[in-house]
Amino acid sequence: MKINCRQASRLISQGLDQPLSQWDHVRLRMHLWMCGNCRQFSHQLQLMRQSARKAGRGE
Amino acid sequence: MINPAELETELPYLQRYALAQLRDRDAANEIVQETVLAALESGDSFSGKSSLRTWLTSILRFKLIDRLRRKGKEVLFASLDEETDDSDFDGLFSKDGHWQERIKAWSGPEESMMARQFWDVFERCSEVMPRRTAMAFVMREVMGLEIAEICNNLEITATNCSVLLYRARMSLRECFEIRWTGEARA
């Protein structure tokens, strides 16, 4: 059931591209709930996406 | 109708966009020229509803992907095995898979500032990325293509695509981190 940060980082990235399976989704949620580092990591990937999309729109 | 002077002010932006995907200045300039010519030829179809930049970018995107299809992938890429191996990130994690170092918040950057610096960071960072990895990232995060389209353009499986994107994000995150926490310390 439990996943480590490395596995979580892969799921976080995957989740940006396609919906995760229910099982992976729950495992990731549980991990993020406990792990500040991975919450931060996830937030940073979102920031990167937003800035990339803005750059792509010429903003 | 398009105003040529206005068109000219968009050239640097288009060049950066093309360079992010092609990583070759000559090739980037060539495709920007093609884009501008195509824009001038079909100038009547520019309704002015979208901005000139948006319209030019859509032509450029089409040309970039079309170029990839025409050139064939063999010439462009090294072995996929190497690119889909994520062992280069071993150093970031302990043996049991936890982050070695605390992930610090990027307190410095406003979101709008990050967007403005995106090309700079990406250009420098993508120099060390395998080519296909950088391309997958641009298609997904800059162009906003869906995974199925990216797989199709690069002729790779969805699984490989997701590994490439993971690697690109990991590398780029480190580049942003160096930039942001470095500046914060300075």
Side-chain angles (χ1 to χ4, degrees):
Chain A
M1 175 70 204
K2 267 180 72 182
I3 54 172
N4 62 34
C5 299
R6 188 165 196 167
Q7 292 165 317
S9 70
R10 292 200 189 102
L11 289 179
I12 290 165
S13 174
Q14 252 180 52
L16 289 173
D17 303 319
Q18 58 212 357
L20 296 176
S21 72
Q22 212 174 12
W23 176 236
D24 282 341
H25 181 80
V26 172
R27 294 201 300 175
L28 178 59
R29 283 280 135 222
M30 298 269 289
H31 182 88
L32 287 176
W33 180 61
M34 296 181 307
C35 178
N37 275 340
C38 285
R39 280 200 299 275
Q40 193 56 248
F41 174 84
S42 173
H43 177 62
Q44 290 172 352
L45 292 199
Q46 305 264 14
L47 277 177
M48 278 171 24
R49 159 166 289 179
Q50 284 158 14
S51 62
R53 296 258 158 106
K54 274 192 185 161
R57 289 194 301 263
E59 288 171 33
Chain B
M1 273 307 286
I2 311 169
N3 171 353
E6 247 178 83
L7 209 148
E8 215 176 306
T9 63
E10 298 297 341
L11 291 181
Y13 174 78
L14 295 175
Q15 193 191 35
R16 289 205 116 164
Y17 198 114
L19 202 56
Q21 180 74 290
L22 299 170
R23 292 199 290 166
D24 173 335
R25 206 161 277 279
D26 291 337
N29 287 343
E30 193 185 313
I31 211 156
V32 167
Q33 286 179 45
E34 283 177 28
T35 301
V36 169
L37 287 178
L40 288 171
E41 275 168 22
S42 62
D44 295 341
S45 72
F46 175 59
S47 62
K49 270 188 199 138
S50 58
S51 76
L52 181 62
R53 178 173 289 186
T54 308
W55 185 63
L56 289 169
T57 308
S58 68
I59 301 176
L60 177 61
R61 280 170 54 148
F62 173 80
K63 292 210 168 280
L64 284 169
I65 290 167
D66 185 54
R67 182 177 190 277
L68 185 65
R69 293 218 179 94
R70 274 185 297 116
K71 286 263 169 178
K73 285 86 200 167
E74 307 76 31
V75 239
L76 288 173
F77 305 128
S79 139
L80 191 61
D81 292 346
E82 271 169 48
E83 278 195 53
T84 51
D85 170 19
D86 71 8
S87 61
D88 15 338
F89 301 116
D90 285 353
L92 291 177
F93 297 97
S94 64
K95 275 215 176 70
D96 59 359
H98 290 284
W99 296 103
Q100 292 276 27
E101 283 179 38
R102 197 168 70 81
I103 302 209
K104 294 178 227 91
W106 294 338
S107 49
E110 297 288 320
E111 207 189 291
S112 59
M113 205 151 94
M114 264 185 82
R116 263 177 275 139
Q117 300 203 357
F118 175 81
W119 294 120
D120 269 346
V121 177
F122 183 78
E123 265 165 38
R124 248 175 292 157
C125 194
S126 66
E127 278 168 19
V128 295
M129 272 184 214
R131 182 151 195 181
R132 190 163 21 198
T133 303
M135 282 180 144
F137 183 87
V138 171
M139 287 184 195
R140 179 69 186 133
E141 303 293 49
V142 178
M143 298 184 180
L145 300 187
E146 292 301 326
I147 295 300
E149 272 176 285
I150 299 171
C151 293
N152 191 19
N153 289 336
L154 293 174
E155 289 179 6
I156 54 177
T157 64
T159 310
N160 282 336
C161 190
S162 116
V163 179
L164 295 189
L165 288 168
Y166 175 72
R167 291 186 44 135
R169 287 173 179 139
M170 291 291 277
S171 304
L172 202 60
R173 196 196 73 80
E174 285 189 81
C175 293
F176 270 112
E177 177 144 283
I178 290 164
R179 178 105 174 201
W180 293 120
T181 52
E183 280 187 356
R185 253 183 264 122

